[in-house]
Coordinates of all heavy atoms in Angstrom, one line a residue:
M1 N -11.0 47.9 -1.8 CA -11.2 46.4 -1.7 C -10.0 45.6 -1.6 O -9.0 45.9 -2.3 CB -12.1 46.0 -3.0 CG -13.6 46.2 -2.8 SD -14.5 45.4 -4.0 CE -14.0 46.3 -5.5
P2 N -9.9 44.7 -0.8 CA -8.7 43.9 -0.7 C -8.5 43.0 -1.9 O -9.4 42.5 -2.4 CB -8.7 43.1 0.6 CG -10.2 43.1 0.9 CD -10.8 44.4 0.3
L3 N -7.3 42.6 -2.1 CA -6.9 41.6 -3.1 C -6.7 40.2 -2.6 O -5.9 40.1 -1.8 CB -5.7 42.0 -3.9 CG -5.1 41.2 -5.1 CD1 -6.1 41.4 -6.2 CD2 -3.9 41.7 -5.6
Y4 N -7.5 39.3 -3.1 CA -7.5 38.0 -2.5 C -6.8 37.1 -3.7 O -6.9 37.3 -4.8 CB -8.7 37.5 -2.2 CG -9.4 38.1 -1.1 CD1 -10.4 39.1 -1.2 CD2 -9.0 37.8 0.2 CE1 -11.0 39.7 -0.1 CE2 -9.5 38.4 1.4 CZ -10.5 39.4 1.2 OH -11.1 40.0 2.2
E5 N -6.1 36.1 -3.1 CA -5.5 35.1 -4.0 C -6.3 33.7 -3.8 O -6.5 33.3 -2.6 CB -4.0 35.0 -3.7 CG -3.4 34.1 -4.7 CD -1.8 34.1 -4.6 OE1 -1.4 34.7 -3.5 OE2 -1.2 33.5 -5.3
Y6 N -6.5 33.1 -4.9 CA -7.2 31.7 -4.9 C -6.6 30.7 -5.7 O -5.7 31.0 -6.6 CB -8.7 31.9 -5.5 CG -9.5 33.0 -4.7 CD1 -9.6 34.3 -5.2 CD2 -10.3 32.5 -3.6 CE1 -10.3 35.2 -4.5 CE2 -11.2 33.6 -3.0 CZ -11.1 34.9 -3.4 OH -11.8 35.8 -2.7
R7 N -7.0 29.5 -5.3 CA -6.4 28.4 -6.1 C -7.5 27.4 -6.4 O -8.2 27.0 -5.5 CB -5.4 27.6 -5.4 CG -4.7 26.5 -6.2 CD -3.6 25.9 -5.5 NE -3.9 25.2 -4.2 CZ -4.3 23.9 -4.3 NH1 -4.3 23.2 -5.5 NH2 -4.6 23.4 -3.2
C8 N -7.7 27.1 -7.6 CA -8.8 26.2 -8.0 C -8.4 24.8 -7.7 O -7.3 24.3 -8.1 CB -9.1 26.4 -9.6 SG -10.4 25.1 -10.1
M9 N -9.3 24.0 -7.1 CA -8.9 22.6 -6.6 C -9.2 21.7 -7.7 O -8.8 20.5 -7.7 CB -9.7 22.2 -5.4 CG -9.4 23.1 -4.2 SD -10.4 22.8 -2.8 CE -9.7 21.3 -2.3
D10 N -9.8 22.2 -8.8 CA -10.1 21.2 -9.9 C -9.0 21.3 -11.1 O -8.5 20.3 -11.6 CB -11.5 21.6 -10.5 CG -12.6 21.0 -9.7 OD1 -12.3 20.1 -8.9 OD2 -13.7 21.3 -9.8
C11 N -8.7 22.5 -11.4 CA -7.8 22.8 -12.6 C -6.4 23.3 -12.0 O -5.4 23.6 -12.9 CB -8.2 23.6 -13.7 SG -8.4 25.3 -13.3
D12 N -6.3 23.5 -10.7 CA -5.0 24.0 -10.1 C -4.6 25.3 -10.5 O -3.3 25.8 -10.4 CB -3.8 23.0 -10.3 CG -2.9 23.0 -9.1 OD1 -3.3 23.2 -8.0 OD2 -1.8 22.8 -9.4
L13 N -5.4 26.2 -11.0 CA -5.1 27.6 -11.4 C -5.0 28.5 -10.2 O -5.9 28.4 -9.3 CB -6.1 28.0 -12.5 CG -6.0 29.4 -12.9 CD1 -4.8 29.6 -13.8 CD2 -7.3 30.0 -13.6
R14 N -4.1 29.3 -10.1 CA -4.0 30.3 -9.1 C -4.3 31.6 -9.8 O -3.8 32.0 -10.8 CB -2.5 30.3 -8.5 CG -2.3 29.1 -7.7 CD -0.8 29.2 -7.3 NE -0.7 30.1 -6.2 CZ 0.1 30.0 -5.1 NH1 0.8 28.7 -4.9 NH2 0.1 30.8 -4.2
F15 N -5.2 32.4 -9.1 CA -5.6 33.6 -9.7 C -5.9 34.6 -8.5 O -6.1 34.2 -7.3 CB -6.9 33.5 -10.6 CG -8.0 32.9 -10.0 CD1 -9.0 33.6 -9.5 CD2 -8.1 31.6 -9.9 CE1 -10.2 33.1 -8.8 CE2 -9.2 30.9 -9.3 CZ -10.2 31.6 -8.8
E16 N -6.0 35.9 -8.9 CA -6.3 36.9 -7.8 C -7.5 37.8 -8.2 O -7.8 37.9 -9.4 CB -5.1 37.9 -7.7 CG -3.8 37.2 -7.2 CD -2.7 38.1 -7.4 OE1 -2.7 39.1 -8.1 OE2 -1.7 38.0 -6.6
L17 N -8.4 38.0 -7.2 CA -9.5 38.8 -7.4 C -9.6 39.9 -6.4 O -9.2 39.7 -5.2 CB -10.8 38.0 -7.4 CG -11.0 36.9 -8.5 CD1 -12.2 36.1 -8.2 CD2 -11.2 37.8 -9.8
L18 N -10.2 41.0 -6.8 CA -10.6 42.1 -5.8 C -11.9 41.8 -5.4 O -12.9 41.7 -6.1 CB -10.5 43.5 -6.6 CG -9.1 44.0 -6.7 CD1 -9.2 45.2 -7.6 CD2 -8.5 44.4 -5.4
K19 N -12.1 41.6 -4.0 CA -13.3 41.1 -3.5 C -13.7 42.0 -2.2 O -12.7 42.2 -1.5 CB -13.2 39.7 -3.1 CG -13.5 38.8 -4.3 CD -15.0 38.8 -4.7 CE -15.4 37.6 -5.7 NZ -16.8 37.6 -5.9
R20 N -14.9 42.4 -2.0 CA -15.4 42.8 -0.7 C -15.0 41.6 0.2 O -15.3 40.5 -0.1 CB -16.7 43.2 -0.7 CG -16.9 44.6 -0.9 CD -18.4 45.0 -0.7 NE -19.3 44.5 -1.6 CZ -19.8 45.2 -2.6 NH1 -19.7 46.6 -2.5 NH2 -20.7 44.6 -3.4
S21 N -14.7 41.9 1.5 CA -14.4 40.8 2.5 C -15.6 40.0 2.8 O -15.5 38.8 3.0 CB -13.8 41.4 3.7 OG -14.7 42.2 4.3
S22 N -16.9 40.5 2.6 CA -18.0 39.8 2.9 C -18.3 38.8 1.7 O -19.1 37.9 2.0 CB -19.2 40.8 3.1 OG -19.4 41.6 1.9
A23 N -17.9 39.1 0.6 CA -18.0 38.2 -0.6 C -16.7 37.4 -0.9 O -16.7 36.9 -2.0 CB -18.5 38.9 -1.7
A24 N -15.7 37.4 0.0 CA -14.4 36.8 -0.3 C -14.5 35.3 -0.7 O -13.8 34.7 -1.3 CB -13.5 37.0 0.8
D25 N -15.5 34.6 -0.1 CA -15.7 33.3 -0.4 C -16.6 32.9 -1.5 O -16.9 31.6 -1.8 CB -16.1 32.5 1.0 CG -15.0 32.6 2.1 OD1 -13.9 32.4 1.7 OD2 -15.3 32.8 3.2
E26 N -17.3 33.8 -2.1 CA -18.1 33.6 -3.1 C -17.3 33.7 -4.5 O -17.5 34.7 -5.1 CB -19.3 34.5 -3.1 CG -20.1 34.5 -1.8 CD -21.2 35.5 -1.6 OE1 -21.4 36.3 -2.8 OE2 -21.6 35.7 -0.6
V27 N -16.7 32.7 -4.8 CA -15.8 32.8 -5.9 C -15.9 31.5 -6.8 O -16.0 30.4 -6.2 CB -14.2 32.9 -5.4 CG1 -13.3 32.9 -6.5 CG2 -14.1 34.2 -4.6
E28 N -15.8 31.8 -8.1 CA -15.7 30.6 -8.9 C -14.3 30.8 -9.7 O -13.9 32.0 -9.9 CB -16.8 30.7 -10.0 CG -18.2 30.4 -9.5 CD -19.3 30.4 -10.4 OE1 -19.1 30.9 -11.5 OE2 -20.5 29.9 -10.1
C29 N -13.8 29.6 -10.2 CA -12.7 29.7 -11.0 C -12.9 30.5 -12.2 O -13.7 30.3 -12.9 CB -12.2 28.2 -11.2 SG -10.7 28.1 -12.2
V30 N -11.8 31.3 -12.6 CA -11.8 32.1 -13.7 C -11.7 31.4 -15.0 O -12.1 31.8 -16.1 CB -10.9 33.4 -13.7 CG1 -11.2 34.2 -12.4 CG2 -9.4 32.8 -13.5
R31 N -11.3 30.2 -14.8 CA -10.9 29.3 -16.1 C -11.9 28.3 -16.3 O -12.6 28.2 -17.3 CB -9.5 28.7 -16.0 CG -9.1 28.0 -17.2 CD -7.7 27.8 -17.4 NE -7.2 26.8 -16.4 CZ -5.8 26.5 -16.3 NH1 -5.0 27.1 -17.1 NH2 -5.5 25.8 -15.3
C32 N -12.2 27.5 -15.3 CA -13.1 26.4 -15.5 C -14.5 26.6 -14.8 O -15.4 25.7 -14.9 CB -12.5 25.0 -15.0 SG -12.4 24.9 -13.2
G33 N -14.6 27.6 -14.0 CA -15.9 27.9 -13.4 C -16.2 27.1 -12.2 O -17.3 27.1 -11.7
S34 N -15.3 26.3 -11.6 CA -15.5 25.4 -10.5 C -15.8 26.3 -9.3 O -15.2 27.3 -9.1 CB -14.4 24.5 -10.3 OG -14.5 23.8 -9.1
A35 N -16.6 25.8 -8.4 CA -16.8 26.5 -7.1 C -15.9 25.9 -6.1 O -15.8 26.3 -5.0 CB -18.4 26.4 -6.7
R36 N -15.0 24.9 -6.4 CA -14.2 24.3 -5.4 C -12.9 25.2 -5.4 O -11.9 24.8 -6.1 CB -13.9 22.8 -5.7 CG -15.1 22.1 -5.6 CD -14.8 20.6 -6.0 NE -13.8 20.0 -5.2 CZ -12.9 19.1 -5.7 NH1 -12.9 18.7 -6.8 NH2 -11.9 18.6 -4.8
V37 N -12.9 26.3 -4.8 CA -11.8 27.2 -5.0 C -11.4 27.5 -3.5 O -12.2 27.8 -2.6 CB -12.2 28.6 -5.6 CG1 -11.1 29.6 -5.3 CG2 -12.5 28.4 -7.0
Q38 N -10.1 27.3 -3.3 CA -9.5 27.7 -2.0 C -8.9 29.1 -1.9 O -8.2 29.5 -2.7 CB -8.3 26.6 -1.8 CG -7.7 26.7 -0.3 CD -6.5 25.7 -0.3 OE1 -6.0 25.2 -1.1 NE2 -6.2 25.4 1.0
R39 N -9.2 29.7 -0.8 CA -8.7 31.0 -0.7 C -7.3 31.0 0.0 O -7.1 30.4 1.0 CB -9.6 31.9 0.1 CG -9.1 33.3 0.3 CD -10.2 34.4 0.5 NE -11.1 34.1 1.5 CZ -11.0 34.7 2.8 NH1 -10.2 35.6 3.0 NH2 -11.9 34.4 3.6
L40 N -6.3 31.7 -0.5 CA -5.0 31.7 0.0 C -4.8 33.0 0.8 O -5.7 33.9 0.7 CB -3.9 31.5 -1.2 CG -4.1 30.3 -2.1 CD1 -3.1 30.6 -3.2 CD2 -4.0 29.1 -1.3
F41 N -3.8 33.1 1.4 CA -3.5 34.3 2.2 C -3.1 35.5 1.2 O -2.5 35.3 0.1 CB -2.2 34.2 3.1 CG -2.5 33.2 4.3 CD1 -2.0 32.0 4.3 CD2 -3.4 33.7 5.3 CE1 -2.2 31.2 5.5 CE2 -3.6 32.9 6.4 CZ -3.0 31.7 6.4
S42 N -3.7 36.7 1.5 CA -3.4 37.8 0.6 C -2.1 38.2 0.9 O -1.5 38.0 2.0 CB -4.5 38.8 0.9 OG -4.2 39.6 2.1
R43 N -1.6 38.9 -0.1 CA -0.2 39.5 0.0 C -0.2 40.7 1.0 O 1.0 40.9 1.4 CB 0.4 39.8 -1.3 CG -0.5 40.8 -2.1 CD 0.1 41.1 -3.4 NE 0.1 39.8 -4.2 CZ 0.7 39.6 -5.4 NH1 1.4 40.7 -5.9 NH2 0.8 38.6 -6.1
F44 N -1.2 41.3 1.2 CA -1.3 42.3 2.2 C -1.2 41.8 3.6 O -0.4 42.4 4.4 CB -2.6 43.2 2.0 CG -2.7 43.8 0.7 CD1 -3.7 43.5 -0.2 CD2 -1.9 44.9 0.4 CE1 -3.9 44.1 -1.3 CE2 -2.0 45.5 -0.9 CZ -3.0 45.0 -1.7
A45 N -1.8 40.8 3.9 CA -1.7 40.2 5.2 C -0.4 39.6 5.5 O 0.1 39.5 6.7 CB -2.8 39.2 5.4
A46 N 0.3 39.1 4.5 CA 1.5 38.5 4.6 C 2.7 39.5 4.7 O 3.8 39.1 5.2 CB 1.9 37.6 3.4
R47 N 2.5 40.7 4.4 CA 3.5 41.7 4.6 C 3.8 42.1 6.1 O 2.9 42.4 6.8 CB 3.1 42.9 3.9 CG 4.2 44.1 3.9 CD 3.7 45.2 3.1 NE 3.6 44.8 1.6 CZ 3.0 45.5 0.7 NH1 2.6 46.8 1.0 NH2 2.9 45.1 -0.5
S48 N 4.9 42.0 6.6 CA 5.2 42.3 7.9 C 5.6 43.7 8.1 O 6.0 44.5 7.2 CB 6.3 41.4 8.4 OG 7.5 41.8 7.7
S49 N 5.2 44.2 9.3 CA 5.5 45.6 9.6 C 6.8 45.7 10.3 O 7.5 44.7 10.8 CB 4.5 46.1 10.5 OG 4.4 45.5 11.7
G50 N 7.4 46.8 10.3 CA 8.6 47.0 10.9 C 9.8 46.7 10.0 O 9.7 46.8 8.8
G51 N 11.0 46.5 10.6 CA 12.1 46.3 9.7 C 13.2 47.2 10.1 O 13.4 47.4 11.2
D52 N 13.8 47.7 9.0 CA 14.9 48.5 9.3 C 14.5 50.1 9.4 O 14.5 50.8 8.4 CB 16.0 48.4 8.1 CG 15.4 48.7 6.7 OD1 14.2 48.5 6.7 OD2 16.1 49.2 5.9
G53 N 14.1 50.3 10.5 CA 13.7 51.8 10.8 C 15.0 52.5 10.9 O 16.0 52.0 11.5
S54 N 15.0 53.7 10.5 CA 16.2 54.5 10.5 C 16.4 55.1 11.9 O 15.5 55.6 12.5 CB 16.3 55.5 9.5 OG 15.6 56.7 9.9
A55 N 17.6 55.0 12.4 CA 17.9 55.5 13.8 C 19.0 56.6 13.6 O 20.0 56.7 14.4 CB 18.3 54.4 14.7
S56 N 19.0 57.3 12.5 CA 20.3 58.0 12.1 C 20.1 59.4 12.6 O 21.0 60.2 12.6 CB 20.5 58.1 10.6 OG 19.4 58.7 10.0
L57 N 19.0 59.8 13.1 CA 18.8 61.1 13.6 C 19.4 61.3 15.0 O 19.5 60.4 15.8 CB 17.3 61.5 13.8 CG 16.5 61.6 12.5 CD1 14.9 61.8 12.8 CD2 17.0 62.7 11.5
G58 N 20.0 62.5 15.1 CA 20.6 62.8 16.3 C 22.0 62.4 16.6 O 22.5 62.6 17.7
G59 N 22.6 61.8 15.6 CA 24.0 61.3 15.8 C 25.0 62.2 15.1 O 24.7 62.9 14.0
G60 N 26.1 62.3 15.6 CA 27.3 63.0 15.0 C 27.2 64.5 14.7 O 26.8 65.2 15.7
C61 N 27.5 64.9 13.6 CA 27.9 66.3 13.3 C 26.6 67.1 13.0 O 25.7 66.7 12.2 CB 28.9 66.4 12.2 SG 29.3 68.1 11.8
S62 N 26.5 68.3 13.4 CA 25.4 69.2 13.0 C 25.8 70.0 11.7 O 24.9 70.8 11.2 CB 24.9 70.0 14.1 OG 25.9 70.9 14.6
G63 N 27.0 70.1 11.4 CA 27.5 70.9 10.3 C 27.5 70.2 9.0 O 27.6 70.8 8.0
C64 N 27.5 68.9 8.9 CA 27.5 68.1 7.6 C 26.6 67.0 7.8 O 26.0 66.8 9.0 CB 28.9 67.8 7.2 SG 29.7 66.6 8.1
S65 N 26.5 66.2 6.8 CA 25.6 65.1 6.8 C 26.1 63.8 7.3 O 25.5 62.7 7.3 CB 24.9 64.9 5.4 OG 25.9 64.5 4.4
A66 N 27.4 63.8 7.7 CA 28.1 62.6 8.1 C 27.8 62.1 9.4 O 27.3 63.0 10.2 CB 29.6 62.7 8.1
S67 N 27.6 60.8 9.7 CA 27.2 60.5 10.9 C 28.3 60.6 12.1 O 27.9 60.9 13.2 CB 26.7 59.0 10.9 OG 27.9 58.2 10.5
S68 N 29.6 60.5 11.6 CA 30.6 60.7 12.6 C 31.6 61.5 11.9 O 32.4 61.2 11.0 CB 31.2 59.5 13.2 OG 31.8 58.8 12.1
C69 N 31.7 62.9 12.3 CA 32.5 63.9 11.6 C 33.5 64.5 12.6 O 33.1 64.8 13.7 CB 31.7 64.9 11.1 SG 32.6 66.2 10.2
A70 N 34.7 64.5 12.2 CA 35.8 65.1 13.0 C 36.4 66.4 12.4 O 37.2 67.0 13.0 CB 37.0 64.1 13.2
S71 N 36.0 66.7 11.1 CA 36.6 67.8 10.4 C 36.0 69.1 10.6 O 36.5 70.1 10.5 CB 36.8 67.4 8.9 OG 35.6 67.3 8.4
C72 N 34.6 69.1 10.7 CA 33.9 70.3 10.8 C 33.2 70.5 12.2 O 32.2 71.1 12.3 CB 32.9 70.5 9.7 SG 31.5 69.3 9.7
R73 N 33.7 69.8 13.2 CA 33.1 69.8 14.6 C 33.1 71.3 15.0 O 34.1 72.1 15.0 CB 33.8 68.9 15.5 CG 33.1 68.7 16.8 CD 33.8 67.8 17.7 NE 35.0 67.3 17.0 CZ 35.8 66.4 17.6 NH1 35.6 66.0 18.9 NH2 36.9 65.9 17.0
R74 N 32.0 71.7 15.6 CA 31.9 73.0 16.1 C 32.2 73.2 17.5 O 32.0 72.2 18.3 CB 30.4 73.6 15.8 CG 30.1 73.6 14.4 CD 28.8 74.1 14.1 NE 28.4 74.1 12.7 CZ 27.3 74.5 12.2 NH1 26.3 74.8 12.9 NH2 27.0 74.6 10.9
P75 N 32.7 74.2 18.0 CA 33.1 74.4 19.3 C 32.0 74.4 20.4 O 30.9 75.0 20.0 CB 33.9 75.7 19.4 CG 33.5 76.5 18.2 CD 33.1 75.4 17.1
Ligands
ZN101 ZN1 -10.4 25.9 -12.3

């Protein structure tokens, strides 16, 4: 189940709940019980893919782990 983040519009409390996506809007505030609750973006949806993929394979020396090696280069 995804984790949703909500904010109560009455008491301004922010809280998180695990909800089925079909029931994601059926939420009451955990503190005051108000039904005026706004759903925020989940942290899973905000996470971006990609980034610093490593491109270190295939470079440099096959005899040691250095990326550019001049001491153990093989003939
Ligand atoms: Zn509330």
Side-chain angles (χ1 to χ4, degrees):
M1 277 190 293
L3 180 68
Y4 292 100
E5 187 172 3
Y6 299 91
R7 185 173 68 87
C8 177
M9 299 174 72
D10 282 342
C11 70
D12 208 34
L13 176 72
R14 291 174 76 140
F15 56 97
E16 295 173 336
L17 286 177
L18 284 170
K19 278 284 192 178
R20 269 191 288 254
S21 58
S22 59
D25 291 321
E26 303 168 11
V27 174
E28 292 179 346
C29 174
V30 297
R31 183 160 69 184
C32 72
S34 171
R36 297 176 59 211
V37 171
Q38 180 184 21
R39 176 151 58 102
L40 307 175
F41 290 109
S42 76
R43 58 186 57 188
F44 297 112
R47 181 177 298 169
S48 63
S49 61
D52 58 334
S54 83
S56 62
L57 289 179
C61 178
S62 60
C64 70
S65 61
S67 58
S68 64
C69 179
S71 63
C72 67
R73 191 175 357 178
R74 295 180 179 179

